[in-house]
């Protein structure tokens, strides 16, 4: 994998052997933030939702 080096006027992409293969006058770096939840918290979430639905079902059936 090569590396990007900033020179005076532009950016250069250099291969591992030091050969310059591309020049960029303007470069924009973008990063992506990714989050994956833990399976344990996912199970707890579904259990709490199920308990809430059972509670609401019990309340609505007992009101009649």
């Amino acid at each position: 994998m090569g590396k990007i080096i900033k020179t005076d006027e532009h950016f250069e992409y250099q291969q591992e052997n030091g050969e310059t293969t591309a020049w960029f006058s303007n470069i924009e770096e973008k990063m992506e933030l990714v989050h994956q939840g833990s399976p344990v918290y996912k199970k707890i979430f579904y259990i709490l939702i199920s308990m809430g639905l059972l509670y609401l079902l019990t309340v609505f059936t007992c009101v009649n």
Side-chain angles (χ1 to χ4, degrees):
M1 187 98 186
K3 56 185 173 181
I4 297 176
I5 299 173
K6 179 165 176 48
T7 60
D8 295 332
E9 299 172 3
H10 55 273
F11 293 90
E12 294 181 356
Y13 181 78
Q14 291 185 354
Q15 297 291 333
E16 291 178 358
N17 61 3
E19 178 184 0
T20 301
T21 56
W23 296 270
F24 304 102
S25 59
N26 188 6
I27 190 169
E28 180 179 334
E29 295 183 22
K30 294 184 180 181
M31 295 178 8
E32 183 177 337
L33 180 62
V34 178
H35 173 72
Q36 293 181 344
S38 173
V40 174
Y41 293 123
K42 197 174 200 180
K43 288 180 184 177
I44 292 172
F45 173 75
Y46 287 129
I47 289 171
L48 290 175
I49 294 296
S50 300
M51 288 173 54
L53 288 175
L54 287 174
Y55 172 75
L56 289 175
L57 182 66
T58 305
V59 167
F60 288 133
T61 55
C62 292
V63 169
N64 290 333

